[in-house]
Amino acid sequence: MRHALRWIVMAGVWSALAGTAWGAEAPVPPAESSSTILEAIAFYAMAAVALLSGLAILVSRNLVRNVVCLLAALGAVAGLYFLLAANLLGAIQLIVYAGGTLVLITFGVMLTSRPGSDRQLVRGWERIAGGVVCVTLFIGLCMVLLCTEWATVAASAEPTTVAAVGRALLTDYLVPFELASVLLLVMLIGAAYLVRRDGESGAEDDADRC
Amino acid sequence: MTELTTEFWFPPAGQLGWFAPELALIATIVAVVAVPIILGRRARLSACVALLGVVAALLLTGDVGRRVAEEAAAGLAPPGAPPMLIADNFAVFFKAFLLLFLTLVTVLWLFGLTGRRPALARRFAAHSVEFFVLLLGSALGMMVMVSTLNLLMIILAIELASLPSYALAGYDKRDPAGAEASLKYVLFGAVTAAITLYGVSLLYGAFGTLDIPTIAAAMAGGGAGVGAALGLLGLCVGIGFKISAVPFHFWCPDVFEGATIEVATWLSVASKAAGLGLLLRVVTAMGSLDDALAITVGIVATATCTLANFAAYRQQNVKRILAYSSIAHAGYMLMAAAVFVPAASEAEPNLAASALLLYLLTYLFMNFGVFAATACVEWETGSSALSNFIGLGRRAPWLAVPMAVCLLSLVGLPPLGGFLAKWWLLVALGSGAAEHDRLWGLVLVLVLNTLFSLYYYLRIIYMMFLRTEWSRPAPLAPHVGGLVLVNACAVVLLLFGTLGARAVKLLADEYAVHLYAAPLARAAAALVP
C-alpha cells in the first residue's frame, strides 16, 4: 500500500513538473535570445532539483537524509527567486530557512531522535483517506495551474528589490508590519515561558508574594 | 536619509483615533510586562493592570461607537490604497463584545487565585505576567480579525489570535493533559494555517491584490476561476478552524479538557465570535458571488451542529460536553452566515446579521455562566468529571440552580434568552427561505438539533438534582465570587428572555446596519488625500 502511495505521489510530482514546465513556457517571448534560453535552462535545472529533493524527503525514511534533502529543496527554491530577480526574497530564503530553520531542525532531530522511534502508526483506512485527499487536491491544483489567468507584473527595472521592499514596509504595509512586531513580542514571551524549566524553588519564590 | 523620511507614511492622528481600543490593548500588553519590573511580580497586580487596560479599551470602544454612529465608517488606509483596518458599527460590536468577555475571564481568573487549592493557585499565580500577555495578545488578534478585509491582515490576525492560544492551552506545564492539548492544537493550527496561506497566495496570484472588496469586484466582472474558488476555500479553512466547524473541530474537546478552565472559557466564546465576525464580513463582501459559498457554509453548518450534538452523548466530562455544545452552537450561528439575503437598503438592519449578533450576545452569558459554574466545581473537587456534579442541587443549591438556568438557555427553552436567540435565527432563516427554498432545510436542521441537544444538557441537570447517591455527599462550599458570576449570568439570561427582550433585539438591529462594502469604500475614498 505504501509503495502504491509512493508511486501516486511520484506520478503527481512528475506531472506537476510537467505542468510547471508548460506554465513556464507561456511567458517566454517568441524572440529567442541566448539569455532566455539560459534562463530556461537555469529554471528547469533548479525546478528539477527542488522537486527531486522534495520527492527524496518523501521516500527516504532516514531523518538526517531528509534534512539534507530539505536543504537542497530550499536552496533550489532560493535559486528560483534569484532567477525571478527577487534577490531580497532569495537572500531571506537562504538566511532564514536554509541557514536558520534548517540548522534548528537538524539539532532538534539529532537531540530527540531515538532509533526505532519513527515507526508510522497509520491504519489502513487512514492511508486510503489520505490518498483520496491527496489525489483530489492534486487534481484541483492542476486545474488551477492550467485554467487560471495569473495576474502578471512587469519586471522591475531596479537592480535590487531591497529598497522597494523597505519602502513598501514603511508605507503601504506599515500596519501589518507593526502588527507582526506585536505578534513576535507576544510569542517571544510565550515561548520563553513554555521552554523555561521552573524549578520548585524559583516558582515558590515568586508565588510567596502572590 | 532625508529622502526616505519624506516618503515614510505615518498614519495621521485622525485615522489612528478610530483604532484607539487596539492601541490601548497594545499599551496594556507592554504595561503588564513593565509594571512588575518596577513594582514586583505579584499575581493580583498583573491581573489588575490587565483589567484596567481592558476596561479602558472598552470605554474607548464606546467612544469609537459614538463616532461611528455619526460618520458610518472609517479606515486606516495608506495613501492611495484600500484600508488595512476598518472601523464600522460591525467591528465596534465585536470589539465591545470581545472586551466585555475578556473582562469577565480576567475576573474569573482573579477568583481562581483564591478559589483553587492553595498549591495549585500558587503555581498559576507565579506566571501571571505570561498568562496575561498571551491572553491580551490573542484578544488583540481577534479584534483585528473582525475589523479588516485585507488578506495579509487576516492572516496576521488569525495567527496573532491562534499562536498565544496554543501556549495558553499548555499553560499548566505540569499537567500532561495540557501539554497534549497544546500539541494537538498546534498541529491542527499549523496545518490549517498552511492551507489558508496557500489559498491566500492563490487569490493574490489570480488577482494581484490583497484587498477583498477589489477581489470581489474582479470576480463579479467574470474573473472567477478555479484558482479563486480554491483560494477562497483555503481562506474558509482557516476561519473554520477558528470557529471549530466540523471537519476542523477535532482540537476542540481535547483542548477544552486539557487546558485550564479559564482558558477553555476564553476559547469557547471569543475564538468563535471572532471567526464568525470575519466570516460574515468576507461573505458579505463576496455577496456578488453566486450561491456556491452560501451553500458550502450551509452544509458545513448542518454537519457541525448535527455531529457535535451526537458526539456529546457519550462524554463523561462536563468540559468535553461543553466543548461539543460550543461546536454545536457554532454550527447554529454559521447558519446565519449562510443566509445573507441583503436588506432592502443599507440603512435597514440585516435580519441574518442581527440574528447572529443577538445569538452571540446571549451565547456569551449562557456559556460563561455554565463555564463559571464548572470552574467553581473544578476548583473545589479538582476535576470536572460528570460524577462530581452528582447531587449538586443539595450540596450547593446557589450554584446548581443558576447553572441549570444557563443549561436550559443553551437548549433554548422559552422564558430564557437562549429561546429568543434561536427564535430570531429561525425568523432570519424563514425570511431567507422565502427567496431560496434550500434554507427550509436549515430550519429543519436547527429544530431537530435543538431536540437532539436536549438529552445531554438534561443529563447534567438530572445528575445535579435527581440522581441519588447511596452515601450522603459532602456539601460543597463554592467560591463566593464564582457564585456571584454564575447567578449574574442566570439573571441576565432571564432578563434577555423576558423584560429586556425588546432592548436586546433593538441593540442587535442597531449594529446590523451598513454591513456592505460600499460605505467602507466610500469612507476609504474620503480618507485618501
Side-chain angles (χ1 to χ4, degrees), chain B residues 162 207 256 528:
Chain B
S162 306
F207 296 104
F256 280 26
V528 174

Side-chain angles (χ1 to χ4, degrees), chain A residues 4-115:
Chain A
L5 252 185
R6 264 187 215 170
W7 281 113
I8 292 172
V9 170
M10 215 181 278
V13 171
W14 279 111
S15 28
L17 181 63
T20 327
W22 189 86
E25 208 77 59
V28 175
E32 288 213 351
S33 61
S34 60
S35 75
T36 51
I37 293 174
L38 273 181
E39 239 174 63
I41 291 172
F43 172 80
Y44 286 121
M46 273 180 287
V49 170
L51 286 173
L52 284 177
S53 45
L55 196 64
I57 297 172
L58 279 179
V59 176
S60 165
R61 305 285 307 261
N62 184 321
L63 277 173
V64 179
R65 232 172 257 171
N66 285 348
V67 170
V68 175
C69 290
L70 188 60
L71 178 67
L74 291 173
V77 172
L80 286 178
Y81 287 149
F82 282 121
L83 204 62
L84 288 169
N87 40 25
L88 179 66
L89 204 57
I92 290 175
Q93 168 87 5
L94 281 182
I95 295 167
V96 175
Y97 289 99
T101 314
L102 209 69
V103 171
L104 213 65
I105 293 177
T106 317
F107 272 114
V109 166
M110 288 184 167
L111 290 177
T112 58
S113 78
R114 272 169 306 193

Side-chain angles (χ1 to χ4, degrees), chain B residues 202-279:
Chain B
L202 284 178
L203 279 178
Y204 183 72
F207 296 104
T209 173
L210 288 166
D211 188 49
I212 290 182
T214 316
I215 291 176
M219 280 171 110
V226 194
L230 214 62
L232 260 184
L233 197 68
L235 185 61
C236 288
V237 168
I239 301 174
F241 167 71
K242 287 311 290 174
I243 52 183
S244 63
V246 141
F248 323 108
H249 70 288
F250 294 99
W251 60 271
C252 194
D254 292 309
V255 168
F256 280 26
E257 193 186 6
T260 61
I261 188 98
E262 292 91 348
V263 176
T265 313
W266 170 247
L267 292 178
S268 75
V269 175
S271 166
K272 279 165 225 276
L276 282 163
L278 176 58
L279 182 70

Side-chain angles (χ1 to χ4, degrees), chain A residues 101-169:
Chain A
T101 314
L102 209 69
V103 171
L104 213 65
I105 293 177
T106 317
F107 272 114
V109 166
M110 288 184 167
L111 290 177
T112 58
S113 78
R114 272 169 306 193
S117 67
D118 59 342
R119 223 153 37 88
Q120 286 180 333
L121 296 166
V122 185
R123 273 164 289 180
W125 69 270
E126 283 173 339
R127 279 200 192 129
I128 294 169
V132 169
V133 169
C134 286
V135 170
T136 319
L137 192 67
F138 176 68
I139 293 171
L141 287 179
C142 280
M143 280 170 71
V144 168
L145 205 66
L146 298 178
C147 302
T148 312
E149 282 179 31
W150 301 103
T152 47
V153 187
S156 150
E158 288 181 57
T160 73
T161 50
V162 182
V165 170
R167 210 169 287 132
L169 280 182

Side-chain angles (χ1 to χ4, degrees), chain A residues 177-188:
Chain A
F177 182 61
E178 294 297 333
L179 192 68
S181 69
V182 178
L183 172 66
L184 289 177
L185 170 73
V186 170
M187 281 334 291
L188 204 64

